[in-house]
Amino acid sequence: MARRQQLDDYEVPAAVKTLCATNFKRTDAYGPEEDALLAKVTEAKKRGSQLTMENYREQLKLLNQIEDEHLAKEFGENVVVGPSLEPRRDLVDPVVGGFKCQIAKKLLGSCKANIKEDGGVRMSINRYDGGIKKITGTVDNVDAHNVTIWVEKEFDVHNVNKLEFLVERTTFQMEYRALELLEQNVIKNVFFADSYTGNKSLDYMSFEWFRPSIASNPEQAQAIRNILNQTSFPVPYVLFGPPGTGKTSTLAEAIGQIYKLRPSVNVLAVATSNSAANELTSRLLEIIPEDNVYRFFARSCARKKRDIEKEVLDVSNLRGSTVADSQRFYEKIRPCRVVLCTASTAGRLVGMDIPKEHFSYIFIDECGSAKEISSLVPIVGVGINEGQITASIVLAGDPRQLGPVIPCKYLNDTTHSVSLLERIADKGLYAKNPLTGEYDPNVITQLRNNFRSHPALLELPNRMFYAGQLRAKASPDKTHWAVGWDRLPNRAFPLIFHPVVGEIKQDENSSSMYNEQEAEQVLSYVDTIMNDGICGKKLEQTAIGIITPYARQVRYLKDLLNMRGWKDIEVGSTEQYQGREKPIMLMSTVRTGSKSVGFLADTKRLNVSLTRAQALMIVVGDPETLQNNRHWEKLLQYCRRNNAVFGRSEKPARQVVRQDRERHSERRFYKKAPPTNVGRSRFGGKKVQPEVGEVESKMERLGLDGDC
């Protein structure tokens, strides 16, 4: 039977803790070790500082330790002694099972700001023999009044003497272990290679496609053929998948062809999110027998079983009424040809009773949104044996979209916030040939057919971010039905820029901003769409998505939508929408009356924001503010050239907005003051001075901020 290898603690060194405690400013408490580390951190912070073969392990480890310690400090005070917990059996989903209890937020003091859904919990319980028993659980839900905790088995809540909200360190431990196992020759030959050999023994050229449309897509066919034939070995093969180009379909077809044509080899496919891993699992179950597919979940996912598709659940360790025994489900992995999990969960395979060289291919989907050290977990833990790379690595993603989200602002401008995919993109082996302008197909393929968006919605981001190489190939039935809508300034052009000069505001003790006037304009469009439809087409709430970069605006819009009964219209941050799409997307940019656009200046954020819509895109914002950024100015110019600016005339933008609001003044979206959690604004909120600092916390970029 498999024996699980215990992870070392990999505690953060005292010198790193000292640097973090002093905010990286030298004090008399520094000794030689602290001085040496500070010099290394200072070097890593310099503009243009890069990872090299020489500093690779040391720099990855040091910056990871800083993030590790930052989170430890954030959660260090999240302890409640003698908590008053209330059992809530009525909240337990019978499909999921387990036990739930609640604690009122007012009893949590200052630590409530750091408590987020999916966070870890540890409770110390008094035993009858005088000892202490510790059980772990998960934060199931956080609302305005309570924090709900889920655990696998019921316990007596009255015997809990201490409640701790934890920072999850297991992922950090797996990353440190990957670095520890990584040998210098692998660093040189895999991660900084200047040549490749390929697998000369493989030469598959003829295919019977599971999806016949592959035959007419030259880039997809090329990528699948070269992935199967391991043409890049031992260096990673890069599948560069811009928005809507069928990256997941390409991965599924490649794995399916490996399964069919190489019956003696096994595949590990990982993603940075459970949703992406589930989607790939669903695609594979359409072409591979279910007894050869295994979806491996972390135990913490058990409480979300109802949200997982039944077909995925049935081939996973969560199948049944309880989570499979931690040793038994490792035994189930070995006979399966294709195993899928998240990148961090893949670390749990290390040290198990799985034969060496068991996996011949390792796919990492969404690689562009993972820290480089996180990508090492599946590669080093599973694909390297006795210092040699034994599996073909495939990195899939888009380096032009958002990268890793790092909750420590100090690390924002270091290599710690750069993915492995972004670091190698357009460099060395992965650079375009200066003579032909093409990539080497043996190591990288860029997908070019976009199956998502109307040509007018694709044109600008295609030119700005992909050198005009994408082709609009989506079905007109999917993308053209909004053409002719009477609210379009240009009836043939399904893009609207609606000028609104509002006012940005903040709640007390919050750095996040919201803009009432923009929110109301967004709701005006939603109201029209939901009540009148578009071109005779009635639409469900789920057809509409709203994207806004500020967490406070997300919550403000959600509250207003809920008051109208539109609870299925999804509002999220840019990060939350990456990898997603909707028939209709609306965007509130929030910022107004400022010379700075803040983190809206991030071109990756703009790219993601503009490439989610299939048939209709509506952007609401202040043109006078947005035009201060050259990339947003391109969007404004594009809309002006195509007569897509609402109310465009010789009148100033403010007058246009004022007249539009007067025309729709009979539509009020609330008859009385909204709930207190909507904010105070005109009901008592704090006004913000026009100039706002450009740097926003990475937690806000996740859709989170200190008062979430």
Side-chain angles (χ1 to χ4, degrees):
M1 182 174 286
R3 292 187 61 196
R4 186 171 176 177
Q5 187 182 69
Q6 190 70 29
L7 268 174
D8 290 340
D9 288 336
Y10 296 103
E11 293 290 345
V12 176
V16 175
K17 292 184 177 183
T18 300
L19 262 63
C20 293
T22 56
N23 293 318
F24 306 94
K25 296 177 181 177
R26 196 184 186 288
T27 70
D28 293 339
Y30 279 25
E33 188 174 2
E34 286 79 8
D35 284 335
L37 279 179
L38 182 60
K40 292 175 182 176
V41 173
T42 303
E43 183 64 30
K45 287 278 290 181
K46 286 182 179 178
R47 186 178 181 87
S49 176
Q50 297 181 354
L51 287 173
T52 65
M53 280 189 289
E54 292 71 30
N55 71 12
Y56 191 72
R57 275 182 297 192
E58 185 177 37
Q59 184 156 312
L60 285 176
K61 183 178 181 180
L62 175 58
L63 299 183
N64 214 41
Q65 288 172 336
I66 292 172
E67 181 190 355
D68 192 354
E69 176 62 14
H70 170 81
L71 290 175
K73 288 171 63 180
E74 288 283 308
F75 282 81
E77 302 300 321
N78 292 357
V79 178
V80 182
V81 177
S84 179
L85 293 165
E86 178 186 357
R88 292 300 305 268
R89 299 177 185 87
D90 57 308
L91 297 179
V92 175
D93 187 333
V95 173
V96 175
F99 175 68
K100 291 186 180 181
C101 59
Q102 282 184 336
I103 184 169
K105 288 182 76 173
K106 63 183 180 182
L107 302 177
L108 298 177
S110 61
C111 75
K112 63 186 176 185
N114 292 327
I115 298 171
K116 310 295 180 186
E117 187 176 324
D118 296 327
V121 174
R122 180 168 58 217
M123 287 168 281
S124 301
I125 301 176
N126 295 320
R127 294 195 322 200
Y128 294 108
D129 62 4
I132 298 292
K133 177 183 178 181
K134 294 189 177 183
I135 61 173
T136 57
T138 306
V139 176
D140 184 67
N141 185 57
V142 180
D143 61 28
H145 305 291
N146 299 294
V147 174
T148 305
I149 297 167
W150 179 90
V151 296
E152 288 189 27
K153 296 180 180 180
E154 187 167 345
F155 64 94
D156 187 350
V157 298
H158 303 295
N159 285 333
V160 177
N161 63 49
K162 185 167 66 173
L163 171 63
E164 301 169 82
F165 294 92
L166 309 172
V167 57
E168 175 55 59
R169 287 199 71 245
T170 304
T171 298
F172 285 109
Q173 292 169 279
M174 291 177 178
E175 291 165 350
Y176 296 136
R177 180 174 62 185
L179 280 180
E180 190 175 74
L181 296 173
L182 186 61
E183 297 189 13
Q184 193 64 29
N185 67 302
V186 174
I187 295 174
K188 177 182 178 181
N189 297 328
V190 178
F191 302 111
F192 290 89
D194 55 11
S195 64
Y196 59 90
T197 59
N199 188 338
K200 305 299 184 184
S201 66
L202 300 177
D203 190 25
Y204 293 96
M205 300 301 291
S206 179
F207 298 88
E208 293 182 5
W209 303 112
F210 291 104
R211 290 192 311 109
S213 61
I214 296 287
S216 60
N217 189 319
E219 291 81 26
Q220 285 186 326
Q222 170 184 281
I224 294 164
R225 180 175 61 250
N226 291 347
I227 288 169
L228 176 63
N229 288 320
Q230 299 181 325
T231 57
S232 69
F233 191 83
V235 305
Y237 191 92
V238 170
L239 179 64
F240 178 5
T245 53
K247 170 178 62 69
T248 303
S249 297
T250 307
L251 292 177
E253 184 77 31
I255 295 170
Q257 294 295 336
I258 292 167
Y259 171 84
K260 181 172 65 174
L261 298 174
R262 300 196 66 191
S264 63
V265 307
N266 303 303
V267 174
L268 174 65
V270 308
T272 56
S273 67
N274 276 299
S275 58
N278 290 344
E279 177 63 25
L280 184 54
T281 303
S282 294
R283 302 280 187 99
L284 289 172
L285 287 171
E286 296 174 0
I287 58 179
I288 297 177
E290 64 177 30
D291 58 352
N292 275 290
V293 177
Y294 194 79
R295 174 68 171 94
F296 177 30
F297 285 97
R299 294 175 68 86
S300 60
C301 294
R303 66 186 179 83
K304 294 186 175 181
K305 286 169 64 173
R306 185 176 285 277
D307 299 330
I308 302 169
E309 294 290 337
K310 185 179 184 300
E311 60 183 6
V312 175
L313 205 59
D314 285 346
V315 296
S316 78
N317 55 306
L318 299 184
R319 181 180 182 181
S321 58
T322 59
V323 184
D325 177 80
S326 60
Q327 291 184 329
R328 289 179 58 198
F329 65 64
Y330 284 110
E331 290 182 338
K332 293 182 179 180
I333 287 176
R334 292 199 303 275
C336 292
R337 297 266 320 274
V338 181
V339 175
L340 301 102
C341 59
T342 60
S344 58
T345 306
R348 300 181 188 276
L349 301 176
V350 181
M352 291 301 110
D353 190 18
I354 297 174
K356 292 181 178 180
E357 304 182 25
H358 178 74
F359 295 107
S360 298
Y361 295 84
I362 298 175
F363 290 77
I364 305 180
D365 192 12
E366 295 184 329
C367 185
S369 60
K371 297 183 301 184
E372 177 152 353
I373 193 172
S374 300
S375 295
L376 297 182
V377 173
I379 296 174
V380 178
V382 178
I384 294 175
N385 285 293
E386 297 181 357
Q388 299 297 321
I389 184 78
T390 57
S392 183
I393 310 301
V394 179
L395 309 179
D398 182 358
R400 310 281 194 272
Q401 296 190 60
L402 290 169
V405 177
I406 310 299
C408 177
K409 287 195 296 183
Y410 186 79
L411 298 173
N412 284 359
D413 299 321
T414 70
T415 55
H416 194 64
S417 62
V418 177
S419 69
L420 170 60
L421 181 65
E422 182 180 355
R423 180 177 67 79
I424 65 176
D426 295 315
K427 301 179 185 71
L429 297 174
Y430 303 96
K432 289 182 178 180
N433 185 312
L435 298 178
T436 65
E438 298 292 335
Y439 291 114
D440 179 353
N442 288 322
V443 296
I444 180 173
T445 293
Q446 177 184 336
L447 302 179
R448 295 184 177 177
N449 287 353
N450 177 282
F451 303 102
R452 174 181 296 168
S453 301
H454 186 283
L457 302 181
L458 179 64
E459 182 180 340
L460 181 66
N462 184 19
R463 284 195 278 108
M464 288 178 66
F465 309 115
Y466 302 103
Q469 293 191 318
L470 304 187
R471 315 177 189 107
K473 294 289 185 178
S475 164
D477 291 341
K478 178 179 181 179
T479 61
H480 284 59
W481 53 265
V483 172
W485 186 36
D486 60 9
R487 290 295 298 269
L488 291 173
N490 178 346
R491 298 288 181 89
F493 196 78
L495 171 62
I496 302 173
F497 183 87
H498 193 115
V500 170
V501 181
E503 190 173 59
I504 52 176
K505 299 177 181 179
Q506 290 175 298
D507 294 331
E508 291 182 9
N509 303 316
S510 172
S511 62
S512 194
M513 298 183 287
Y514 64 109
N515 184 319
E516 285 182 324
Q517 292 81 6
E518 284 194 18
E520 290 182 4
Q521 185 57 62
V522 167
L523 260 71
S524 175
Y525 278 110
V526 172
D527 185 67
T528 298
I529 293 168
M530 294 307 302
N531 290 323
D532 303 336
I534 294 179
C535 298
K537 182 184 180 75
K538 285 293 182 182
L539 294 154
E540 299 293 330
Q541 294 181 37
T542 53
I544 301 173
I546 301 175
I547 192 168
T548 183
Y550 291 91
R552 189 64 186 86
Q553 186 80 339
V554 169
R555 294 201 308 281
Y556 187 74
L557 282 163
K558 282 182 177 180
D559 285 329
L560 294 181
L561 289 166
N562 288 341
M563 291 167 67
R564 293 298 302 268
W566 296 324
K567 296 184 179 181
D568 292 328
I569 295 177
E570 191 173 352
V571 187
S573 67
T574 318
E575 280 77 5
Q576 290 164 334
Y577 263 106
Q578 180 152 295
R580 310 275 308 286
E581 61 184 69
K582 291 277 187 178
I584 302 169
M585 289 297 305
L586 296 98
M587 182 180 186
S588 169
T589 60
V590 179
R591 298 191 73 101
T592 188
S594 171
K595 294 180 180 179
S596 165
V597 297
F599 64 71
L600 289 175
D602 185 343
T603 55
K604 295 179 179 179
R605 178 167 279 101
L606 179 60
N607 183 13
V608 173
S609 299
L610 295 180
T611 53
R612 304 304 98 194
Q614 298 170 358
L616 174 65
M617 179 77 192
I618 302 171
V619 180
V620 177
D622 177 4
E624 293 181 20
T625 294
L626 296 175
Q627 68 187 5
N628 291 319
N629 176 268
R630 63 188 180 92
H631 303 293
W632 279 93
E633 173 63 11
K634 289 180 181 178
L635 172 64
L636 293 169
Q637 291 175 351
Y638 182 64
C639 291
R640 290 171 186 138
R641 283 199 307 271
N642 289 281
N643 299 315
V645 179
F646 178 84
R648 190 183 179 204
S649 67
E650 298 305 314
K651 302 170 187 176
R654 284 180 172 81
Q655 185 177 346
V656 171
V657 174
R658 186 164 56 250
Q659 290 181 350
D660 179 56
R661 292 185 68 190
E662 290 170 357
R663 282 197 296 271
H664 298 282
S665 61
E666 72 278 5
R667 291 181 177 175
R668 300 310 300 165
F669 299 105
Y670 35 80
K671 295 181 179 179
K672 57 184 179 180
T676 55
N677 65 340
V678 174
R680 288 166 26 205
S681 59
R682 90 168 65 141
F683 318 102
K686 179 180 74 172
K687 295 183 181 180
V688 179
Q689 294 302 315
E691 286 302 321
V692 180
E694 289 212 40
V695 180
E696 298 288 343
S697 79
K698 282 282 188 172
M699 294 303 286
E700 182 176 303
R701 297 187 188 186
L702 274 170
L704 306 170
D705 68 351
D707 64 344
C708 286

